[in-house]
């Protein structure tokens, strides 16, 4: 997770301990059996954003949306704006889904986000396509270790997913990543 500033500083940790998650927020979450809140932050619009061991629950006035950690490509904390930008894994050639959250106090949520997203990546393999421009094939799995590996691609700036050369490099790199992962 890219970030500006320091996440989870001592003062932030003290405030997080005082900022308790309201019981009505917990009961409104669609938690799986055994899933429990580990870290949370309140948004400037009053919504709560809650992290568990397996997912981030993004709050909104309409309710919450569950995003498994392995479905988060990256996140960026912009401390000057108190804004957290979440970018979700997208399918081949599809636009990224970006969610911008303005937080009153990020507390431990940034730490949990960084740890869980990082832990979900089981392999990341880069391949050049043209000069310095290239792509990465990323294999992710739930940080709990359960489930299949989900594969995604990160194309460098200026690379077209419809370009046959880009597709060929992506297919070759995926095969290589799958072989390397099988050997681990």
């Amino acid at each position: 997770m890219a970030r500006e500033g320091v996440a989870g500083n001592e003062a932030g940790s003290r405030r997080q301990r005082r900022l308790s998650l309201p019981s009505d927020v917990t009961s409104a979450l669609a938690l799986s059996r055994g899933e429990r809140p580990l870290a949370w932050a309140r948004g400037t619009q009053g919504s709560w954003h809650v992290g568990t061991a397996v997912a981030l629950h993004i709050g909104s006035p309409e309710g919450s949306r569950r995003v498994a950690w392995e479905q988060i490509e990256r996140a960026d904390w912009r401390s000057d704006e108190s804004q957290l930008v979440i970018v979700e894994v997208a399918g081949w050639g599809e636009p990224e889904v970006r969610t911008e959250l303005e937080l009153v106090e990020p507390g431990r949520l940034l730490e949990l986000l960084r740890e869980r997203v990082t832990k979900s990546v089981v392999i990341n393999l880069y391949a050049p396509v043209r000069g310095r421009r290239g792509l990465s094939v990323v294999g992710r799995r739930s940080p709990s270790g359960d489930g299949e590996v989900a594969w995604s691609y990160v194309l460098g700036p200026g690379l077209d997913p419809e370009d046959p050369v880009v597709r060929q490099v992506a297919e070759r790199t995926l095969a290589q990543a799958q072989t390397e992962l099988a050997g681990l």
Side-chain angles (χ1 to χ4, degrees):
M1 176 175 87
R3 66 182 180 161
E4 290 180 16
V6 176
N9 61 31
E10 189 176 322
S13 295
R14 274 186 260 126
R15 277 188 288 249
Q16 176 68 32
R17 281 186 221 116
R18 284 184 266 155
L19 183 64
S20 60
L21 186 63
S23 60
D24 62 322
V25 172
T26 305
S27 62
L29 294 173
L31 299 176
S32 302
R33 184 180 182 138
E35 186 179 11
R36 63 181 182 80
L38 298 176
W40 49 86
R42 187 168 50 84
T44 57
Q45 303 300 312
S47 297
W48 288 84
H49 313 293
V50 180
T52 69
V54 295
L56 174 64
H57 297 263
I58 300 172
S60 74
E62 297 80 38
S64 70
R65 181 171 66 92
R66 184 181 194 276
V67 181
W69 294 120
E70 65 272 19
Q71 291 303 311
I72 298 176
E73 177 70 45
R74 64 186 181 280
D76 181 31
W77 171 243
R78 299 175 182 161
S79 59
D80 291 344
E81 298 94 32
S82 296
Q83 185 179 60
L84 177 61
V85 179
I86 308 277
V87 179
E88 296 176 42
V89 172
W92 180 261
E94 294 178 10
E96 297 175 332
V97 175
R98 298 171 59 89
T99 304
E100 297 178 359
L101 306 173
E102 293 188 21
L103 306 178
V104 173
E105 172 60 49
R108 292 188 201 144
L109 187 62
L110 297 181
E111 295 170 37
L112 182 66
L113 175 67
R114 179 185 205 77
E115 183 256 323
R116 295 276 91 188
V117 171
T118 300
K119 191 171 182 177
S120 74
V121 176
V122 293
I123 190 166
N124 186 343
L125 193 59
Y126 176 80
V129 177
R130 288 192 183 91
R132 291 187 174 175
R133 290 187 280 175
L135 60 84
S136 293
V137 173
V138 184
R140 290 183 172 79
R141 168 183 300 149
S142 171
S144 66
D146 297 335
E148 296 289 319
V149 173
W151 298 97
S152 65
Y153 304 89
V154 179
L155 301 182
L159 293 180
D160 181 2
E162 299 302 319
D163 181 335
V165 173
V166 173
R167 283 184 179 269
Q168 183 181 44
V169 171
E171 289 170 7
R172 186 176 63 239
T173 307
L174 173 62
Q176 182 182 350
Q178 289 171 326
T179 300
E180 284 186 26
L181 187 59
L184 295 179

